[in-house]
Each structure stands twice: as C-alpha cells, then as structure tokens.
Amino acid sequence: MVMNQIKQSAASILSDVKKQIKLDSIMVCDSALYSQENIQLISNLKWITRVPMTLKKTKEIIGSYLEKVKVSPETDPEIQEITREFQKKGYKWLEQKVTYAGIKQRWLIVESAERKQSDIQKLNSKIEQEKKTALKLRKKLETTGFDTVTQAQNYLKSINKKLKLWELKSLEIKSKKINKQSIFYHYQIETKPRVSEIERRTVAAGRFILATNIESSSDFHCSEILWNYKNPN
C-alpha cells in the first residue's frame, strides 16, 4: 500500500515536472519510479532509474556473468577518465537490451566490489543466524508426535517454508504405540544448507540494475549511465 502511494506520488510529480524540464536533460530516479505507468508517462524524456529487484526479469538476469570494466581507446577522453575511475574501484557490468511496458531500454547490471564484500558479510551472518533457527526447529521436530504420517510430512513442509537458506530433511517416519495409539515421529533428521540459493545470493551480492531509455551506447556510454546515476544534477 505504501509503495503504491510512493509510485503514485512519483507519477504525480513527474506529470507536473515533465512540461518544464529541458528535453536534453537526463532525469535520474530511484526504483520507486520504475513502474509501467510511470515510465510510459515520461517516455518523451531521457531518464535513468534503478530497477526494482522484485521484477521477474531482474531475478532472471541478476546472476549473469559480468565483465570487468575496460577502457576503450575509441571512446571520448572524458568517458575514458570516468571509466578508469570505475575500473580502479573494481566495478563490473553487463549491458542488456530490454523492452518493458512497451518501451525499449538498456539495462546495466552493475557490481560494486566494495558493496559485494559488505553484502557477502551480511549474507554469511544470515546463514549463521538461520542455522541456529534450523537447529532449534530440528530439536522441536524430533520430539513432536503426530497422529498421521501426512500430518508429520505437512508439518515438516511448513517448517521448510520458513527457512530460506537451510532445510530440514527427515530420512524416516516411524510410529510408536502410546496408550494403544500409534504416534508418528520423524527420525534421522538432517539439517542441510540450501546450496543453490546461497550460491545465487553470493553471485547477486553487490549488484544492482540501472535502466535508461537512451538506446544507443554510442550516444550514452555505460560509464555515463553509472556516473549520472551516482552524480545526479
């Protein structure tokens, strides 16, 4: 609800501003702007915006192989200077052509070496925290009895839905007679990391995506996209 209000507010502001802004200016916005309605509203302007990581497309491409920033001798000396600065800071990027909301765009997947290191530290902390949670849930599962096998299986599924980086696996469900009633228990429970999810998050660490409707890379270099986003007028 709040995010919708932000997007609507952004659209309202843009509607007022777009008549006054110079056509050769580049509007720089954060991801709150990026919705189908908003980018259609400013389609006659030049813009750069961060792309929300919640979009299906971003999830598909965020793990793409990125190349280290390289300085091309064919580019303008000023662009070369900007590129060298990003090169020194260990940036990587990859440009992709995307059409979203009917508008052709260039998306720049960017990786910051400094931010990647910070994000991986946070990820490692999350892994350790969730491991503790998983072990507590495992201990509880080992002592919980169920009336049916299905009930036992569903309970395990509900636990694993809460865990993002770990999972519990029960190798066997056995029954015990308690007061002439069969009670089912999980046996040989394993606590395992979700390796593919941890790898995905490790690759995505330190990354974000920028979009621009300036289609030609010769008119607007990748370095200029990132530089303008980090240094808005």
Side-chain angles (χ1 to χ4, degrees), residues 65-227:
Y65 173 76
L66 308 187
E67 293 185 349
K68 292 182 179 179
V69 172
K70 296 178 182 178
V71 181
S72 174
E74 291 83 18
T75 55
D76 182 272
E78 187 176 348
I79 294 175
Q80 290 184 32
E81 186 178 344
I82 294 170
T83 307
R84 284 192 190 94
E85 287 302 310
F86 290 134
Q87 189 181 49
K88 288 175 186 176
K89 293 178 181 179
Y91 276 89
K92 295 180 181 180
W93 59 41
L94 174 70
E95 180 185 343
Q96 286 202 357
K97 301 282 188 180
V98 173
T99 299
Y100 182 76
I103 297 171
K104 292 180 180 179
Q105 305 162 41
R106 290 160 61 209
W107 280 18
L108 189 66
I109 310 167
V110 182
E111 180 180 294
S112 160
E114 183 179 351
R115 184 174 166 183
K116 189 174 189 72
Q117 185 178 8
S118 173
D119 284 357
I120 287 177
Q121 287 176 348
K122 291 176 184 176
L123 175 60
N124 288 336
S125 178
K126 280 184 180 180
I127 292 170
E128 289 304 311
Q129 288 173 5
E130 192 172 289
K131 183 179 181 180
K132 292 177 183 177
T133 301
L135 291 173
K136 287 180 182 178
L137 291 169
R138 172 182 170 174
K139 193 172 183 179
K140 182 180 178 181
L141 183 62
E142 287 172 339
T143 57
T144 301
F146 302 92
D147 293 333
T148 66
V149 171
T150 301
Q151 194 180 68
Q153 291 170 336
N154 289 340
Y155 186 76
L156 179 58
K157 287 178 184 177
S158 69
I159 286 177
N160 280 325
K161 282 182 180 179
K162 297 175 185 177
L163 300 172
K164 305 299 181 185
L165 303 171
W166 291 84
E167 63 180 333
L168 300 183
K169 285 194 173 183
S170 173
L171 301 183
E172 191 176 5
I173 296 175
K174 292 183 179 180
S175 65
K176 283 185 181 180
K177 287 285 186 180
I178 300 177
N179 296 327
K180 297 183 179 180
Q181 182 181 355
S182 293
I183 303 296
F184 296 89
Y185 289 88
H186 286 279
Y187 283 82
Q188 295 182 321
I189 302 169
E190 296 181 346
T191 308
K192 290 189 171 185
R194 296 184 189 267
V195 176
S196 60
E197 177 61 16
I198 292 172
E199 287 177 349
R200 186 192 70 79
R201 294 194 185 196
T202 301
V203 171
R207 295 187 176 189
F208 56 96
I209 299 176
L210 300 176
T212 181
N213 63 339
I214 304 173
E215 294 183 56
S216 173
S217 56
S218 58
D219 292 337
F220 200 50
H221 192 268
C222 293
S223 296
E224 292 177 284
I225 296 174
L226 183 56
W227 190 89

